[in-house]
Amino acid sequence: MIKKPNFIIAGFPKCGTTSLFAYLETHPEIFIPQRKEMNFFSYPIIKNLTGGEGDKVIVGTQVSTWEQYMSYYRSVNNEKAIGDASPSYINFPACFSYIKEKIDNPKIIILLRDPIKRSYSNYLHLYRVGREKLDFNSALLEEENRIEKKYSPMWYYKRHSTYYDKVIEAQKTFDDVLLLTQEEMNKNPGGILKQVFEFLEVDSSFVPPNLDVMYNKGGVYKKNRITNLFLKQSKTKHFLSQNVSLIKKLKPLKDKILSSFEVAPPPLDKQSEDFLIKHFKEDVKKLHKLGVNTSNWNQNYFIE
């Protein structure tokens, strides 16, 4: 019998989930499929959100059936912790009951990040691959229209950087929820991973061999044929990047080539920053009271 997952990395996109995934997959007592972001449990929702440029390509690569989902766990042996790294789940609490129905009561790891940095990183990702054409401030103002037009969640810069209600719903639904921040993991990866290993009940003395590697650096690049080849999205490219181990092995070479074309990203303008501080202020304060370590976040959230 194929074993089901017993833990989920559930949030939030652009909050360091790539790094956490890369560290966890090196642990001998943890099994996590090479395929990240299967998004099976949120698929019934996101399959209808294809209004933005490139959205249909991405949705077309998601895992849509239980049989397909479980096929990624055929290689599980005696690992104690079996994971699913799908950040989209946390943004759709409506899928929480579906998760419990299918895989009982998994442990949930939720990664948070300063919401302004998360929203801007999200924007830069779409800008980098050529999907986002607006400047950041205009994109923020356009968000509600895009939601009405059923753009995919990747375009929800503000909505998916608002955490509190989703975290509370996760805590109500699941027995074991671990809240972490990307900033904590960046400053003390070894200490945070020890905490994660203890949460997953695996050997917490294990030190990942890739602990000093920086993942998902991001960045913005000059537009030319070479960068277009690497960055422009297609269904084939997305499928390969998620399913073929060779692509992962070649990633360092790709990053090296792209680095020669890297340019400074457009800076976060003060108008956008001030707008987002006001927008996220109450949400951040509630997270702080909940015990989330916000000490490395923008402290203007706390200024009246």
Side-chain angles (χ1 to χ4, degrees), residues 2-5 38 40-41 62-75 98 102-103:
I2 302 175
K3 294 182 180 179
K4 299 178 183 179
M38 292 188 283
F40 169 70
F41 294 105
Q62 304 305 297
V63 174
S64 59
T65 69
W66 178 247
E67 291 72 24
Q68 184 185 5
Y69 180 72
M70 288 304 297
S71 71
Y72 287 98
Y73 296 95
R74 288 174 181 161
S75 301
Y98 188 26
K102 284 292 192 178
I103 56 176

mmCIF file with all atom_site columns, all heavy atoms in Angstrom, residues 2-5 38 40-41 62-75 98 102-103:
data_model
loop_
_atom_site.group_PDB
_atom_site.id
_atom_site.type_symbol
_atom_site.label_atom_id
_atom_site.label_alt_id
_atom_site.label_comp_id
_atom_site.label_asym_id
_atom_site.label_entity_id
_atom_site.label_seq_id
_atom_site.pdbx_PDB_ins_code
_atom_site.Cartn_x
_atom_site.Cartn_y
_atom_site.Cartn_z
_atom_site.occupancy
_atom_site.B_iso_or_equiv
_atom_site.pdbx_formal_charge
_atom_site.auth_seq_id
_atom_site.auth_comp_id
_atom_site.auth_asym_id
_atom_site.auth_atom_id
_atom_site.pdbx_PDB_model_num
ATOM 1   N N   . ILE A 1 2   ? 0.537   2.214  -0.832  1.00 0.00 ? 2   ILE A N   1
ATOM 2   C CA  . ILE A 1 2   ? 1.283   3.464  -0.901  1.00 0.00 ? 2   ILE A CA  1
ATOM 3   C C   . ILE A 1 2   ? 0.949   4.305  0.326   1.00 0.00 ? 2   ILE A C   1
ATOM 4   O O   . ILE A 1 2   ? -0.219  4.507  0.660   1.00 0.00 ? 2   ILE A O   1
ATOM 5   C CB  . ILE A 1 2   ? 0.927   4.243  -2.181  1.00 0.00 ? 2   ILE A CB  1
ATOM 6   C CG1 . ILE A 1 2   ? 1.227   3.400  -3.419  1.00 0.00 ? 2   ILE A CG1 1
ATOM 7   C CG2 . ILE A 1 2   ? 1.705   5.552  -2.240  1.00 0.00 ? 2   ILE A CG2 1
ATOM 8   C CD1 . ILE A 1 2   ? 0.801   4.049  -4.725  1.00 0.00 ? 2   ILE A CD1 1
ATOM 9   N N   . LYS A 1 3   ? 1.976   4.791  0.997   1.00 0.00 ? 3   LYS A N   1
ATOM 10  C CA  . LYS A 1 3   ? 1.769   5.614  2.178   1.00 0.00 ? 3   LYS A CA  1
ATOM 11  C C   . LYS A 1 3   ? 1.371   7.037  1.780   1.00 0.00 ? 3   LYS A C   1
ATOM 12  O O   . LYS A 1 3   ? 1.875   7.593  0.806   1.00 0.00 ? 3   LYS A O   1
ATOM 13  C CB  . LYS A 1 3   ? 3.041   5.650  3.020   1.00 0.00 ? 3   LYS A CB  1
ATOM 14  C CG  . LYS A 1 3   ? 3.410   4.305  3.622   1.00 0.00 ? 3   LYS A CG  1
ATOM 15  C CD  . LYS A 1 3   ? 4.662   4.423  4.485   1.00 0.00 ? 3   LYS A CD  1
ATOM 16  C CE  . LYS A 1 3   ? 5.028   3.082  5.095   1.00 0.00 ? 3   LYS A CE  1
ATOM 17  N NZ  . LYS A 1 3   ? 6.258   3.180  5.922   1.00 0.00 ? 3   LYS A NZ  1
ATOM 18  N N   . LYS A 1 4   ? 0.492   7.623  2.575   1.00 0.00 ? 4   LYS A N   1
ATOM 19  C CA  . LYS A 1 4   ? 0.032   8.985  2.332   1.00 0.00 ? 4   LYS A CA  1
ATOM 20  C C   . LYS A 1 4   ? 0.942   9.984  3.046   1.00 0.00 ? 4   LYS A C   1
ATOM 21  O O   . LYS A 1 4   ? 1.629   9.640  4.007   1.00 0.00 ? 4   LYS A O   1
ATOM 22  C CB  . LYS A 1 4   ? -1.400  9.153  2.848   1.00 0.00 ? 4   LYS A CB  1
ATOM 23  C CG  . LYS A 1 4   ? -2.426  8.247  2.194   1.00 0.00 ? 4   LYS A CG  1
ATOM 24  C CD  . LYS A 1 4   ? -3.789  8.477  2.828   1.00 0.00 ? 4   LYS A CD  1
ATOM 25  C CE  . LYS A 1 4   ? -4.838  7.540  2.246   1.00 0.00 ? 4   LYS A CE  1
ATOM 26  N NZ  . LYS A 1 4   ? -6.175  7.760  2.881   1.00 0.00 ? 4   LYS A NZ  1
ATOM 27  N N   . PRO A 1 5   ? 0.918   11.236 2.609   1.00 0.00 ? 5   PRO A N   1
ATOM 28  C CA  . PRO A 1 5   ? 1.670   12.272 3.322   1.00 0.00 ? 5   PRO A CA  1
ATOM 29  C C   . PRO A 1 5   ? 1.172   12.421 4.757   1.00 0.00 ? 5   PRO A C   1
ATOM 30  O O   . PRO A 1 5   ? -0.009  12.191 5.039   1.00 0.00 ? 5   PRO A O   1
ATOM 31  C CB  . PRO A 1 5   ? 1.388   13.544 2.522   1.00 0.00 ? 5   PRO A CB  1
ATOM 32  C CG  . PRO A 1 5   ? 0.893   13.079 1.197   1.00 0.00 ? 5   PRO A CG  1
ATOM 33  C CD  . PRO A 1 5   ? 0.215   11.772 1.430   1.00 0.00 ? 5   PRO A CD  1
ATOM 34  N N   . MET A 1 38  ? 2.343   20.593 -6.082  1.00 0.00 ? 38  MET A N   1
ATOM 35  C CA  . MET A 1 38  ? 1.368   19.758 -6.783  1.00 0.00 ? 38  MET A CA  1
ATOM 36  C C   . MET A 1 38  ? -0.016  20.386 -6.735  1.00 0.00 ? 38  MET A C   1
ATOM 37  O O   . MET A 1 38  ? -0.801  20.244 -7.662  1.00 0.00 ? 38  MET A O   1
ATOM 38  C CB  . MET A 1 38  ? 1.352   18.358 -6.167  1.00 0.00 ? 38  MET A CB  1
ATOM 39  C CG  . MET A 1 38  ? 2.628   17.584 -6.407  1.00 0.00 ? 38  MET A CG  1
ATOM 40  S SD  . MET A 1 38  ? 2.543   15.860 -5.874  1.00 0.00 ? 38  MET A SD  1
ATOM 41  C CE  . MET A 1 38  ? 2.734   16.055 -4.109  1.00 0.00 ? 38  MET A CE  1
ATOM 42  N N   . PHE A 1 40  ? -2.744  19.713 -5.375  1.00 0.00 ? 40  PHE A N   1
ATOM 43  C CA  . PHE A 1 40  ? -3.885  18.827 -5.618  1.00 0.00 ? 40  PHE A CA  1
ATOM 44  C C   . PHE A 1 40  ? -5.132  19.270 -4.868  1.00 0.00 ? 40  PHE A C   1
ATOM 45  O O   . PHE A 1 40  ? -6.233  19.314 -5.437  1.00 0.00 ? 40  PHE A O   1
ATOM 46  C CB  . PHE A 1 40  ? -3.523  17.389 -5.233  1.00 0.00 ? 40  PHE A CB  1
ATOM 47  C CG  . PHE A 1 40  ? -4.713  16.465 -5.193  1.00 0.00 ? 40  PHE A CG  1
ATOM 48  C CD1 . PHE A 1 40  ? -5.354  16.105 -6.365  1.00 0.00 ? 40  PHE A CD1 1
ATOM 49  C CD2 . PHE A 1 40  ? -5.202  15.986 -3.978  1.00 0.00 ? 40  PHE A CD2 1
ATOM 50  C CE1 . PHE A 1 40  ? -6.478  15.273 -6.328  1.00 0.00 ? 40  PHE A CE1 1
ATOM 51  C CE2 . PHE A 1 40  ? -6.303  15.161 -3.939  1.00 0.00 ? 40  PHE A CE2 1
ATOM 52  C CZ  . PHE A 1 40  ? -6.949  14.798 -5.114  1.00 0.00 ? 40  PHE A CZ  1
ATOM 53  N N   . PHE A 1 41  ? -4.992  19.601 -3.602  1.00 0.00 ? 41  PHE A N   1
ATOM 54  C CA  . PHE A 1 41  ? -6.173  19.898 -2.796  1.00 0.00 ? 41  PHE A CA  1
ATOM 55  C C   . PHE A 1 41  ? -6.783  21.264 -3.126  1.00 0.00 ? 41  PHE A C   1
ATOM 56  O O   . PHE A 1 41  ? -7.957  21.499 -2.850  1.00 0.00 ? 41  PHE A O   1
ATOM 57  C CB  . PHE A 1 41  ? -5.818  19.799 -1.305  1.00 0.00 ? 41  PHE A CB  1
ATOM 58  C CG  . PHE A 1 41  ? -5.473  18.402 -0.883  1.00 0.00 ? 41  PHE A CG  1
ATOM 59  C CD1 . PHE A 1 41  ? -4.154  18.041 -0.652  1.00 0.00 ? 41  PHE A CD1 1
ATOM 60  C CD2 . PHE A 1 41  ? -6.460  17.436 -0.755  1.00 0.00 ? 41  PHE A CD2 1
ATOM 61  C CE1 . PHE A 1 41  ? -3.829  16.739 -0.291  1.00 0.00 ? 41  PHE A CE1 1
ATOM 62  C CE2 . PHE A 1 41  ? -6.148  16.134 -0.385  1.00 0.00 ? 41  PHE A CE2 1
ATOM 63  C CZ  . PHE A 1 41  ? -4.823  15.784 -0.156  1.00 0.00 ? 41  PHE A CZ  1
ATOM 64  N N   . GLN A 1 62  ? -0.964  21.236 -13.124 1.00 0.00 ? 62  GLN A N   1
ATOM 65  C CA  . GLN A 1 62  ? -1.234  20.865 -11.737 1.00 0.00 ? 62  GLN A CA  1
ATOM 66  C C   . GLN A 1 62  ? -1.761  19.433 -11.632 1.00 0.00 ? 62  GLN A C   1
ATOM 67  O O   . GLN A 1 62  ? -2.313  18.876 -12.585 1.00 0.00 ? 62  GLN A O   1
ATOM 68  C CB  . GLN A 1 62  ? -2.237  21.831 -11.115 1.00 0.00 ? 62  GLN A CB  1
ATOM 69  C CG  . GLN A 1 62  ? -1.821  23.295 -11.175 1.00 0.00 ? 62  GLN A CG  1
ATOM 70  C CD  . GLN A 1 62  ? -0.459  23.551 -10.568 1.00 0.00 ? 62  GLN A CD  1
ATOM 71  O OE1 . GLN A 1 62  ? -0.238  23.352 -9.387  1.00 0.00 ? 62  GLN A OE1 1
ATOM 72  N NE2 . GLN A 1 62  ? 0.473   23.995 -11.392 1.00 0.00 ? 62  GLN A NE2 1
ATOM 73  N N   . VAL A 1 63  ? -1.588  18.854 -10.466 1.00 0.00 ? 63  VAL A N   1
ATOM 74  C CA  . VAL A 1 63  ? -2.055  17.488 -10.210 1.00 0.00 ? 63  VAL A CA  1
ATOM 75  C C   . VAL A 1 63  ? -3.551  17.525 -9.943  1.00 0.00 ? 63  VAL A C   1
ATOM 76  O O   . VAL A 1 63  ? -4.009  18.193 -9.005  1.00 0.00 ? 63  VAL A O   1
ATOM 77  C CB  . VAL A 1 63  ? -1.308  16.888 -9.006  1.00 0.00 ? 63  VAL A CB  1
ATOM 78  C CG1 . VAL A 1 63  ? -1.877  15.524 -8.645  1.00 0.00 ? 63  VAL A CG1 1
ATOM 79  C CG2 . VAL A 1 63  ? 0.177   16.781 -9.315  1.00 0.00 ? 63  VAL A CG2 1
ATOM 80  N N   . SER A 1 64  ? -4.322  16.820 -10.759 1.00 0.00 ? 64  SER A N   1
ATOM 81  C CA  . SER A 1 64  ? -5.773  16.969 -10.708 1.00 0.00 ? 64  SER A CA  1
ATOM 82  C C   . SER A 1 64  ? -6.531  15.744 -10.214 1.00 0.00 ? 64  SER A C   1
ATOM 83  O O   . SER A 1 64  ? -7.723  15.838 -9.925  1.00 0.00 ? 64  SER A O   1
ATOM 84  C CB  . SER A 1 64  ? -6.297  17.333 -12.106 1.00 0.00 ? 64  SER A CB  1
ATOM 85  O OG  . SER A 1 64  ? -5.949  16.321 -13.054 1.00 0.00 ? 64  SER A OG  1
ATOM 86  N N   . THR A 1 65  ? -5.869  14.579 -10.103 1.00 0.00 ? 65  THR A N   1
ATOM 87  C CA  . THR A 1 65  ? -6.571  13.372 -9.648  1.00 0.00 ? 65  THR A CA  1
ATOM 88  C C   . THR A 1 65  ? -5.848  12.751 -8.461  1.00 0.00 ? 65  THR A C   1
ATOM 89  O O   . THR A 1 65  ? -4.628  12.903 -8.307  1.00 0.00 ? 65  THR A O   1
ATOM 90  C CB  . THR A 1 65  ? -6.676  12.318 -10.765 1.00 0.00 ? 65  THR A CB  1
ATOM 91  O OG1 . THR A 1 65  ? -5.366  11.782 -11.050 1.00 0.00 ? 65  THR A OG1 1
ATOM 92  C CG2 . THR A 1 65  ? -7.267  12.924 -12.037 1.00 0.00 ? 65  THR A CG2 1
ATOM 93  N N   . TRP A 1 66  ? -6.609  12.026 -7.638  1.00 0.00 ? 66  TRP A N   1
ATOM 94  C CA  . TRP A 1 66  ? -6.023  11.353 -6.472  1.00 0.00 ? 66  TRP A CA  1
ATOM 95  C C   . TRP A 1 66  ? -4.992  10.318 -6.909  1.00 0.00 ? 66  TRP A C   1
ATOM 96  O O   . TRP A 1 66  ? -3.939  10.173 -6.275  1.00 0.00 ? 66  TRP A O   1
ATOM 97  C CB  . TRP A 1 66  ? -7.133  10.702 -5.661  1.00 0.00 ? 66  TRP A CB  1
ATOM 98  C CG  . TRP A 1 66  ? -6.668  9.931  -4.468  1.00 0.00 ? 66  TRP A CG  1
ATOM 99  C CD1 . TRP A 1 66  ? -6.729  8.592  -4.276  1.00 0.00 ? 66  TRP A CD1 1
ATOM 100 C CD2 . TRP A 1 66  ? -6.070  10.473 -3.279  1.00 0.00 ? 66  TRP A CD2 1
ATOM 101 N NE1 . TRP A 1 66  ? -6.207  8.253  -3.043  1.00 0.00 ? 66  TRP A NE1 1
ATOM 102 C CE2 . TRP A 1 66  ? -5.799  9.394  -2.420  1.00 0.00 ? 66  TRP A CE2 1
ATOM 103 C CE3 . TRP A 1 66  ? -5.743  11.768 -2.867  1.00 0.00 ? 66  TRP A CE3 1
ATOM 104 C CZ2 . TRP A 1 66  ? -5.204  9.568  -1.161  1.00 0.00 ? 66  TRP A CZ2 1
ATOM 105 C CZ3 . TRP A 1 66  ? -5.152  11.936 -1.611  1.00 0.00 ? 66  TRP A CZ3 1
ATOM 106 C CH2 . TRP A 1 66  ? -4.884  10.854 -0.787  1.00 0.00 ? 66  TRP A CH2 1
ATOM 107 N N   . GLU A 1 67  ? -5.266  9.608  -7.981  1.00 0.00 ? 67  GLU A N   1
ATOM 108 C CA  . GLU A 1 67  ? -4.340  8.586  -8.471  1.00 0.00 ? 67  GLU A CA  1
ATOM 109 C C   . GLU A 1 67  ? -3.008  9.224  -8.882  1.00 0.00 ? 67  GLU A C   1
ATOM 110 O O   . GLU A 1 67  ? -1.933  8.694  -8.567  1.00 0.00 ? 67  GLU A O   1
ATOM 111 C CB  . GLU A 1 67  ? -4.956  7.841  -9.658  1.00 0.00 ? 67  GLU A CB  1
ATOM 112 C CG  . GLU A 1 67  ? -6.139  6.956  -9.312  1.00 0.00 ? 67  GLU A CG  1
ATOM 113 C CD  . GLU A 1 67  ? -7.402  7.742  -8.972  1.00 0.00 ? 67  GLU A CD  1
ATOM 114 O OE1 . GLU A 1 67  ? -7.521  8.918  -9.434  1.00 0.00 ? 67  GLU A OE1 1
ATOM 115 O OE2 . GLU A 1 67  ? -8.259  7.204  -8.243  1.00 0.00 ? 67  GLU A OE2 1
ATOM 116 N N   . GLN A 1 68  ? -3.084  10.341 -9.571  1.00 0.00 ? 68  GLN A N   1
ATOM 117 C CA  . GLN A 1 68  ? -1.867  11.041 -9.974  1.00 0.00 ? 68  GLN A CA  1
ATOM 118 C C   . GLN A 1 68  ? -1.113  11.551 -8.751  1.00 0.00 ? 68  GLN A C   1
ATOM 119 O O   . GLN A 1 68  ? 0.113   11.439 -8.665  1.00 0.00 ? 68  GLN A O   1
ATOM 120 C CB  . GLN A 1 68  ? -2.233  12.210 -10.896 1.00 0.00 ? 68  GLN A CB  1
ATOM 121 C CG  . GLN A 1 68  ? -1.033  12.960 -11.463 1.00 0.00 ? 68  GLN A CG  1
ATOM 122 C CD  . GLN A 1 68  ? -1.440  14.182 -12.268 1.00 0.00 ? 68  GLN A CD  1
ATOM 123 O OE1 . GLN A 1 68  ? -2.624  14.539 -12.333 1.00 0.00 ? 68  GLN A OE1 1
ATOM 124 N NE2 . GLN A 1 68  ? -0.476  14.841 -12.878 1.00 0.00 ? 68  GLN A NE2 1
ATOM 125 N N   . TYR A 1 69  ? -1.852  12.090 -7.801  1.00 0.00 ? 69  TYR A N   1
ATOM 126 C CA  . TYR A 1 69  ? -1.237  12.598 -6.574  1.00 0.00 ? 69  TYR A CA  1
ATOM 127 C C   . TYR A 1 69  ? -0.483  11.492 -5.836  1.00 0.00 ? 69  TYR A C   1
ATOM 128 O O   . TYR A 1 69  ? 0.679   11.643 -5.470  1.00 0.00 ? 69  TYR A O   1
ATOM 129 C CB  . TYR A 1 69  ? -2.331  13.192 -5.687  1.00 0.00 ? 69  TYR A CB  1
ATOM 130 C CG  . TYR A 1 69  ? -1.857  13.765 -4.376  1.00 0.00 ? 69  TYR A CG  1
ATOM 131 C CD1 . TYR A 1 69  ? -1.132  14.952 -4.329  1.00 0.00 ? 69  TYR A CD1 1
ATOM 132 C CD2 . TYR A 1 69  ? -2.143  13.124 -3.168  1.00 0.00 ? 69  TYR A CD2 1
ATOM 133 C CE1 . TYR A 1 69  ? -0.708  15.498 -3.118  1.00 0.00 ? 69  TYR A CE1 1
ATOM 134 C CE2 . TYR A 1 69  ? -1.733  13.655 -1.956  1.00 0.00 ? 69  TYR A CE2 1
ATOM 135 C CZ  . TYR A 1 69  ? -1.016  14.836 -1.940  1.00 0.00 ? 69  TYR A CZ  1
ATOM 136 O OH  . TYR A 1 69  ? -0.582  15.366 -0.744  1.00 0.00 ? 69  TYR A OH  1
ATOM 137 N N   . MET A 1 70  ? -1.145  10.378 -5.623  1.00 0.00 ? 70  MET A N   1
ATOM 138 C CA  . MET A 1 70  ? -0.526  9.295  -4.864  1.00 0.00 ? 70  MET A CA  1
ATOM 139 C C   . MET A 1 70  ? 0.627   8.632  -5.614  1.00 0.00 ? 70  MET A C   1
ATOM 140 O O   . MET A 1 70  ? 1.495   8.010  -4.999  1.00 0.00 ? 70  MET A O   1
ATOM 141 C CB  . MET A 1 70  ? -1.583  8.246  -4.506  1.00 0.00 ? 70  MET A CB  1
ATOM 142 C CG  . MET A 1 70  ? -2.571  8.702  -3.434  1.00 0.00 ? 70  MET A CG  1
ATOM 143 S SD  . MET A 1 70  ? -1.742  9.238  -1.914  1.00 0.00 ? 70  MET A SD  1
ATOM 144 C CE  . MET A 1 70  ? -0.954  7.711  -1.413  1.00 0.00 ? 70  MET A CE  1
ATOM 145 N N   . SER A 1 71  ? 0.677   8.786  -6.923  1.00 0.00 ? 71  SER A N   1
ATOM 146 C CA  . SER A 1 71  ? 1.774   8.195  -7.696  1.00 0.00 ? 71  SER A CA  1
ATOM 147 C C   . SER A 1 71  ? 3.119   8.787  -7.294  1.00 0.00 ? 71  SER A C   1
ATOM 148 O O   . SER A 1 71  ? 4.164   8.155  -7.466  1.00 0.00 ? 71  SER A O   1
ATOM 149 C CB  . SER A 1 71  ? 1.541   8.386  -9.193  1.00 0.00 ? 71  SER A CB  1
ATOM 150 O OG  . SER A 1 71  ? 1.703   9.752  -9.580  1.00 0.00 ? 71  SER A OG  1
ATOM 151 N N   . TYR A 1 72  ? 3.106   9.991  -6.747  1.00 0.00 ? 72  TYR A N   1
ATOM 152 C CA  . TYR A 1 72  ? 4.351   10.632 -6.322  1.00 0.00 ? 72  TYR A CA  1
ATOM 153 C C   . TYR A 1 72  ? 4.897   10.045 -5.018  1.00 0.00 ? 72  TYR A C   1
ATOM 154 O O   . TYR A 1 72  ? 6.004   10.388 -4.604  1.00 0.00 ? 72  TYR A O   1
ATOM 155 C CB  . TYR A 1 72  ? 4.149   12.140 -6.174  1.00 0.00 ? 72  TYR A CB  1
ATOM 156 C CG  . TYR A 1 72  ? 4.016   12.843 -7.506  1.00 0.00 ? 72  TYR A CG  1
ATOM 157 C CD1 . TYR A 1 72  ? 2.758   13.152 -8.032  1.00 0.00 ? 72  TYR A CD1 1
ATOM 158 C CD2 . TYR A 1 72  ? 5.140   13.177 -8.250  1.00 0.00 ? 72  TYR A CD2 1
ATOM 159 C CE1 . TYR A 1 72  ? 2.632   13.785 -9.254  1.00 0.00 ? 72  TYR A CE1 1
ATOM 160 C CE2 . TYR A 1 72  ? 5.027   13.814 -9.484  1.00 0.00 ? 72  TYR A CE2 1
ATOM 161 C CZ  . TYR A 1 72  ? 3.769   14.110 -9.978  1.00 0.00 ? 72  TYR A CZ  1
ATOM 162 O OH  . TYR A 1 72  ? 3.643   14.737 -11.192 1.00 0.00 ? 72  TYR A OH  1
ATOM 163 N N   . TYR A 1 73  ? 4.122   9.163  -4.406  1.00 0.00 ? 73  TYR A N   1
ATOM 164 C CA  . TYR A 1 73  ? 4.543   8.573  -3.132  1.00 0.00 ? 73  TYR A CA  1
ATOM 165 C C   . TYR A 1 73  ? 4.841   7.074  -3.246  1.00 0.00 ? 73  TYR A C   1
ATOM 166 O O   . TYR A 1 73  ? 4.989   6.391  -2.234  1.00 0.00 ? 73  TYR A O   1
ATOM 167 C CB  . TYR A 1 73  ? 3.468   8.847  -2.069  1.00 0.00 ? 73  TYR A CB  1
ATOM 168 C CG  . TYR A 1 73  ? 3.324   10.326 -1.812  1.00 0.00 ? 73  TYR A CG  1
ATOM 169 C CD1 . TYR A 1 73  ? 2.352   11.066 -2.479  1.00 0.00 ? 73  TYR A CD1 1
ATOM 170 C CD2 . TYR A 1 73  ? 4.182   10.999 -0.951  1.00 0.00 ? 73  TYR A CD2 1
ATOM 171 C CE1 . TYR A 1 73  ? 2.236   12.433 -2.279  1.00 0.00 ? 73  TYR A CE1 1
ATOM 172 C CE2 . TYR A 1 73  ? 4.082   12.365 -0.747  1.00 0.00 ? 73  TYR A CE2 1
ATOM 173 C CZ  . TYR A 1 73  ? 3.104   13.077 -1.418  1.00 0.00 ? 73  TYR A CZ  1
ATOM 174 O OH  . TYR A 1 73  ? 3.010   14.431 -1.228  1.00 0.00 ? 73  TYR A OH  1
ATOM 175 N N   . ARG A 1 74  ? 4.966   6.590  -4.452  1.00 0.00 ? 74  ARG A N   1
ATOM 176 C CA  . ARG A 1 74  ? 5.267   5.168  -4.650  1.00 0.00 ? 74  ARG A CA  1
ATOM 177 C C   . ARG A 1 74  ? 6.651   4.789  -4.132  1.00 0.00 ? 74  ARG A C   1
ATOM 178 O O   . ARG A 1 74  ? 6.900   3.620  -3.813  1.00 0.00 ? 74  ARG A O   1
ATOM 179 C CB  . ARG A 1 74  ? 5.174   4.826  -6.147  1.00 0.00 ? 74  ARG A CB  1
ATOM 180 C CG  . ARG A 1 74  ? 3.753   4.799  -6.693  1.00 0.00 ? 74  ARG A CG  1
ATOM 181 C CD  . ARG A 1 74  ? 3.747   4.602  -8.192  1.00 0.00 ? 74  ARG A CD  1
ATOM 182 N NE  . ARG A 1 74  ? 2.388   4.597  -8.726  1.00 0.00 ? 74  ARG A NE  1
ATOM 183 C CZ  . ARG A 1 74  ? 2.087   4.810  -9.996  1.00 0.00 ? 74  ARG A CZ  1
ATOM 184 N NH1 . ARG A 1 74  ? 3.074   5.070  -10.876 1.00 0.00 ? 74  ARG A NH1 1
ATOM 185 N NH2 . ARG A 1 74  ? 0.833   4.789  -10.405 1.00 0.00 ? 74  ARG A NH2 1
ATOM 186 N N   . SER A 1 75  ? 7.546   5.769  -4.075  1.00 0.00 ? 75  SER A N   1
ATOM 187 C CA  . SER A 1 75  ? 8.929   5.481  -3.678  1.00 0.00 ? 75  SER A CA  1
ATOM 188 C C   . SER A 1 75  ? 9.167   5.583  -2.178  1.00 0.00 ? 75  SER A C   1
ATOM 189 O O   . SER A 1 75  ? 10.300  5.431  -1.721  1.00 0.00 ? 75  SER A O   1
ATOM 190 C CB  . SER A 1 75  ? 9.891   6.425  -4.409  1.00 0.00 ? 75  SER A CB  1
ATOM 191 O OG  . SER A 1 75  ? 9.776   6.293  -5.808  1.00 0.00 ? 75  SER A OG  1
ATOM 192 N N   . TYR A 1 98  ? -10.981 19.107 2.839   1.00 0.00 ? 98  TYR A N   1
ATOM 193 C CA  . TYR A 1 98  ? -10.653 18.100 1.816   1.00 0.00 ? 98  TYR A CA  1
ATOM 194 C C   . TYR A 1 98  ? -9.340  17.403 2.171   1.00 0.00 ? 98  TYR A C   1
ATOM 195 O O   . TYR A 1 98  ? -9.198  16.187 2.026   1.00 0.00 ? 98  TYR A O   1
ATOM 196 C CB  . TYR A 1 98  ? -10.565 18.793 0.465   1.00 0.00 ? 98  TYR A CB  1
ATOM 197 C CG  . TYR A 1 98  ? -10.429 17.885 -0.736  1.00 0.00 ? 98  TYR A CG  1
ATOM 198 C CD1 . TYR A 1 98  ? -10.898 16.575 -0.728  1.00 0.00 ? 98  TYR A CD1 1
ATOM 199 C CD2 . TYR A 1 98  ? -9.836  18.358 -1.917  1.00 0.00 ? 98  TYR A CD2 1
ATOM 200 C CE1 . TYR A 1 98  ? -10.783 15.753 -1.841  1.00 0.00 ? 98  TYR A CE1 1
ATOM 201 C CE2 . TYR A 1 98  ? -9.712  17.549 -3.034  1.00 0.00 ? 98  TYR A CE2 1
ATOM 202 C CZ  . TYR A 1 98  ? -10.186 16.254 -2.984  1.00 0.00 ? 98  TYR A CZ  1
ATOM 203 O OH  . TYR A 1 98  ? -10.057 15.443 -4.095  1.00 0.00 ? 98  TYR A OH  1
ATOM 204 N N   . LYS A 1 102 ? -8.907  13.308 3.076   1.00 0.00 ? 102 LYS A N   1
ATOM 205 C CA  . LYS A 1 102 ? -8.067  12.398 2.295   1.00 0.00 ? 102 LYS A CA  1
ATOM 206 C C   . LYS A 1 102 ? -6.849  11.879 3.049   1.00 0.00 ? 102 LYS A C   1
ATOM 207 O O   . LYS A 1 102 ? -6.422  10.737 2.842   1.00 0.00 ? 102 LYS A O   1
ATOM 208 C CB  . LYS A 1 102 ? -7.603  13.107 1.010   1.00 0.00 ? 102 LYS A CB  1
ATOM 209 C CG  . LYS A 1 102 ? -8.668  13.212 -0.066  1.00 0.00 ? 102 LYS A CG  1
ATOM 210 C CD  . LYS A 1 102 ? -9.008  11.841 -0.630  1.00 0.00 ? 102 LYS A CD  1
ATOM 211 C CE  . LYS A 1 102 ? -9.839  11.915 -1.891  1.00 0.00 ? 102 LYS A CE  1
ATOM 212 N NZ  . LYS A 1 102 ? -10.119 10.561 -2.444  1.00 0.00 ? 102 LYS A NZ  1
ATOM 213 N N   . ILE A 1 103 ? -6.248  12.729 3.879   1.00 0.00 ? 103 ILE A N   1
ATOM 214 C CA  . ILE A 1 103 ? -5.017  12.288 4.543   1.00 0.00 ? 103 ILE A CA  1
ATOM 215 C C   . ILE A 1 103 ? -5.063  12.538 6.054   1.00 0.00 ? 103 ILE A C   1
ATOM 216 O O   . ILE A 1 103 ? -4.062  12.834 6.694   1.00 0.00 ? 103 ILE A O   1
ATOM 217 C CB  . ILE A 1 103 ? -3.761  12.944 3.932   1.00 0.00 ? 103 ILE A CB  1
ATOM 218 C CG1 . ILE A 1 103 ? -3.840  14.478 3.952   1.00 0.00 ? 103 ILE A CG1 1
ATOM 219 C CG2 . ILE A 1 103 ? -3.539  12.463 2.528   1.00 0.00 ? 103 ILE A CG2 1
ATOM 220 C CD1 . ILE A 1 103 ? -2.548  15.134 3.445   1.00 0.00 ? 103 ILE A CD1 1
#
